[in-house]
Amino acid sequence: MTLTREAEATPPRQLRDFGIPEITARLIPMAPGHLRRVLRETPGLPQGRNEGGARWFTLEEVDEIRAHLERSGTPGRYRPWRPVGAAPKIIALVNPARGSGRTTLALHLAMAAALDGYRVRAIDLDPGAGLTAALGDPGPAGEGAQDTALALFARQAALHLRGQNQARLDRGDAPVPMDAVLGAALETAPAALARPTHWPGIALVPARPELALADLHIPQWRTQIRGWRPWEALSRELARPPQDGEAAPDLVILDTPPSLGPLALAAAAAADVLLVPLEGDAAGTARAGQAFGMLHSAFAAIEEEEAAAARALGTQRVSFAWDALRAVITRYDPIAQGRAAGAIQAGLGPALAAARIEAAPILAQESAVYEAVPRPGRRGGDRQGLARARASFDAAYAEIRDLLQEGWRRGAEAR
């Protein structure tokens, strides 16, 4: 097979390797000498790649070492906790304003969780496809919107319509025609939408520009299909039990468009932890109030509409609740924005996450803090900025992981 010039110029992306100092400082909590001793005494474990007088390991090899330590040591010390049999936790990032840092935070949370040892499914619901580009989408398996999360909404709508049509046929009535998108969704295997990425542990449901058709299709389906609730379609799909051979994720991360349209509302309704990224500038207080106010109004309207239907049908009322709802300050400059961030803190209180994301200038050249490696040729300021940014993303992930795990604990106690 002859490769084209374009194919030769764009090899598949690969995640960087990790040295023992970074592994023991950030991924496996133990002294470097202890890890070297474990590797020496267990020759069946990955031994790494020697280069420059150091040993380097892929993330898959790190996970293999971590699994061995978990089996032979204290359970829960080397792998992040999740109760056996518990449903995946869902994080949605929602803000109708552009430029809030929503996709950057979604990307880094997914990467931090993968480094921690969780299996992550990232779902890009933004037709701008920023998360898809950052995770190196391996290319379409088919065409257009049917390879995106719109197929999940269409599948739920099609199943609902199929049930209604069967009832119509049983009564001797004519069925409602099913459009091409709904018909194709019934033939779509939901598990096939999630593709591997260059990050082990992260599978991606990509976005395409055609995903913008959701704003057209979903209202049409809601009008056509009596009783179909688009805001719960994503919840139902994500609650679907894994099929044969399908790897269930530990976490699902939903990146949404800069709007409160049907995709963003469905993501927020599906979430266990709802995050509202905000910039920490002088206008951040006003933006924070607007974002929370719009979310409250949108879900209050849904609850009111569903309450009327519940009264008419004698069914249970619908109400929305999350394990946690947090605003997260992004692109934070502690010198220039300290006062503004303090005003946001005063306004939001405990609804504001303690961690604040510091933006590193190096991110203008590299796709993510977790993919960047401080090199000797970099200026000291570059290295320091990268270290501060990584520390802030680490702190944000740790805070959000605590919220997720607390939700799992409450669920286990309730059972």
Side-chain angles (χ1 to χ4, degrees):
M1 181 178 68
T2 302
L3 294 176
T4 65
R5 185 178 300 275
E6 181 180 1
E8 291 174 347
T10 55
R13 290 177 63 181
Q14 288 186 317
L15 179 61
R16 66 180 179 86
D17 291 343
F18 300 84
I20 286 180
E22 183 180 10
I23 291 171
T24 54
R26 299 183 181 276
L27 306 182
I28 300 177
M30 62 171 51
H34 185 186
L35 177 58
R36 292 188 179 95
R37 184 166 59 254
V38 169
L39 295 175
R40 186 171 57 251
E41 294 174 353
T42 318
L45 287 176
Q47 298 297 310
R49 169 178 60 85
N50 289 303
E51 182 179 313
R55 280 195 282 180
W56 299 88
F57 297 79
T58 66
L59 187 55
E60 296 103 317
E61 291 173 332
V62 172
D63 282 337
E64 188 175 340
I65 296 167
R66 186 155 38 195
H68 165 78
L69 292 168
E70 184 77 8
R71 289 191 301 268
S72 59
T74 304
R77 181 176 180 183
Y78 301 103
R79 297 182 70 86
W81 180 75
R82 172 191 173 186
V84 176
K89 284 295 180 183
I90 301 168
I91 305 170
L93 295 95
V94 178
N95 189 328
R98 293 185 180 276
S100 64
R102 184 185 54 255
T103 297
T104 299
L105 181 55
L107 174 68
H108 284 81
L109 289 178
M111 291 179 172
L115 289 174
D116 202 19
Y118 279 128
R119 296 184 303 275
V120 180
R121 181 173 299 166
I123 301 181
D124 194 348
L125 293 166
D126 184 357
L131 185 63
T132 298
L135 283 171
D137 176 28
E143 295 182 359
Q146 284 303 318
D147 290 319
T148 72
L150 181 59
L152 301 178
F153 288 83
R155 183 173 180 274
Q156 283 295 314
L159 290 171
H160 201 92
L161 180 57
R162 188 169 66 181
Q164 287 189 357
N165 278 341
Q166 185 59 56
R168 289 187 177 95
L169 290 170
D170 292 343
R171 295 193 306 266
D173 297 335
V176 174
M178 188 173 291
D179 66 37
V181 177
L182 295 178
L186 287 175
E187 305 300 322
T188 299
L193 296 174
R195 325 277 176 71
T197 69
H198 67 291
W199 270 78
I202 301 179
L204 170 70
V205 177
R208 313 269 185 238
E210 294 87 350
L211 186 57
L213 294 172
D215 289 339
L216 172 66
H217 286 305
I218 291 176
Q220 287 180 342
W221 296 333
R222 188 180 186 192
T223 300
Q224 178 189 30
I225 306 169
R226 188 184 66 227
W228 180 62
R229 297 165 168 170
W231 48 263
E232 70 176 12
L234 198 55
S235 303
R236 289 182 176 275
E237 276 298 320
L238 295 177
R240 180 182 54 83
Q243 304 301 305
D244 292 342
E246 182 182 356
D250 299 304
L251 306 178
V252 178
I253 296 178
L254 307 172
D255 187 29
T256 64
S259 71
L260 280 183
L263 295 174
L265 286 176
D272 297 297
V273 172
L274 181 59
L275 302 179
V276 180
L278 302 165
E279 289 188 89
D281 57 16
T285 305
R287 292 196 190 102
Q290 290 169 357
F292 278 93
M294 292 175 71
L295 282 167
H296 173 77
S297 297
F299 283 102
I302 294 174
E303 288 181 350
E304 183 177 350
E305 179 182 346
E306 291 297 323
R311 286 193 297 270
L313 299 174
T315 56
Q316 188 173 2
R317 294 186 58 170
V318 171
S319 62
F320 295 93
W322 297 273
D323 289 348
L325 190 158
R326 293 290 187 277
V328 183
I329 293 178
T330 64
R331 300 177 181 175
Y332 178 62
D333 182 335
I335 297 175
Q337 298 176 342
R339 182 174 296 178
I344 297 174
Q345 177 71 70
L348 295 180
L352 180 66
R356 299 173 183 179
I357 306 298
E358 292 194 30
I362 198 65
L363 289 181
Q365 290 80 39
E366 301 194 46
S367 62
V369 162
Y370 292 117
E371 293 183 339
V373 182
R375 294 188 291 269
R378 281 189 173 142
R379 298 189 305 272
D382 283 347
R383 291 193 296 273
Q384 293 168 6
L386 178 60
R388 286 198 308 272
R390 171 153 185 173
S392 69
F393 280 114
D394 286 346
Y397 166 70
E399 186 173 351
I400 292 162
R401 181 188 58 192
D402 287 346
L403 296 174
L404 298 169
Q405 293 184 348
E406 179 58 29
W408 271 321
R409 288 188 183 93
R410 286 198 300 267
E413 291 169 0
R415 291 197 298 271

